[in-house]
Amino acid sequence: MFFQIFVNNFSNSLPNKMPTLKQVFQEYASFGRQGKTDDITSKNFMKMMKEKKLLDKKLNSTEVDMIFTKSKGGPGNKVLTFTQFQTALGYVAKAKLGDDTKVDEIIAKIVAGSGPSTAGTTGTSKTGGVAKMTDASQYTGSHKERFDAEGKGKGLDGRKDRPANDGYVQGYKEKDTYEKK
């Protein structure tokens, strides 16, 4: 296919300091997933399109989803391989630029810049309120019963009232006094 031949030639002509298309593909493919993977999910494909600033009025998120679906090769597939990704870039060029032979412009935008970012994700709180919420010595009422003297959680024993199974009814005040009388 024309796209794959062109993409391979374009990637080989890049300067050595720039990452190759395959390297960028693998960075986005493995983002948020365990281990190194050789295929990219729809979520990560969309993340790439957004972060590389390829989305506009012509190429919106709905169009990107349709391109992904068209490129994945059937309803049983949930991911794109690198070869299918290259085909998808041809569809992206056609949707965004009106010509599938301008795939080099799309590749140049994808290869330029950094890999996947974590901007907008929830980080560690830097306010002082978190320390107070995690200090078990300040808990009152039934919540106080969930922790021992050192502040460690009691687990299930701190959350449930378990019967003592000692032969006495609950609330009996003269427990263990029968032998002493």
Side-chain angles (χ1 to χ4, degrees):
M1 196 178 214
F2 173 74
F3 306 129
Q4 293 166 351
I5 295 167
F6 185 81
V7 168
N8 291 337
N9 291 339
F10 182 80
S11 295
N12 293 337
S13 67
L14 292 172
N16 287 338
K17 65 182 178 177
M18 291 185 74
T20 64
L21 184 62
K22 181 135 180 131
Q23 289 171 335
V24 174
F25 170 80
Q26 287 177 336
E27 285 176 4
Y28 276 93
S30 60
F31 183 77
R33 296 171 74 190
Q34 292 284 24
K36 188 175 180 180
T37 60
D38 293 327
D39 47 28
I40 191 166
T41 62
S42 175
K43 176 183 70 90
N44 288 351
F45 184 68
M46 179 67 75
K47 180 176 181 61
M48 179 190 289
M49 296 296 125
K50 283 180 185 174
E51 289 182 358
K52 300 301 180 173
K53 299 191 180 1
L54 291 170
L55 296 183
D56 58 11
K57 291 192 182 229
K58 291 180 184 176
L59 183 69
N60 56 28
S61 61
T62 305
E63 186 69 24
V64 172
D65 279 338
M66 290 190 309
I67 288 171
F68 185 87
T69 303
K70 193 182 336 180
S71 302
K72 70 181 181 174
N77 297 336
K78 305 269 186 239
V79 293
L80 292 180
T81 63
F82 184 65
T83 306
Q84 292 167 331
F85 171 72
Q86 291 173 323
T87 304
L89 292 183
Y91 293 131
V92 168
K94 185 168 183 138
K96 183 168 179 65
L97 306 172
D99 188 3
D100 57 0
T101 60
K102 294 184 179 180
V103 72
D104 59 335
E105 293 177 35
I106 302 298
I107 294 170
K109 282 189 172 189
I110 290 174
V111 171
S114 61
S117 79
T118 56
T121 59
T122 305
T124 306
S125 175
K126 296 192 182 2
T127 61
V130 175
K132 185 175 182 180
M133 288 188 287
T134 57
D135 185 8
S137 67
Q138 296 183 4
Y139 290 169
T140 59
S142 63
H143 301 291
K144 188 174 190 175
E145 302 300 321
R146 295 180 61 190
F147 299 91
D148 62 10
E150 296 173 3
K152 294 188 178 189
K154 293 181 183 177
L156 191 58
D157 290 330
R159 291 190 299 272
K160 293 200 175 201
D161 287 332
R162 293 188 175 181
N165 291 332
D166 56 4
Y168 291 94
V169 295
Q170 184 179 1
Y172 183 69
K173 294 187 182 350
E174 296 183 31
K175 179 178 172 185
D176 296 327
T177 59
Y178 181 75
E179 298 292 330
K180 296 178 185 174
K181 287 187 178 182

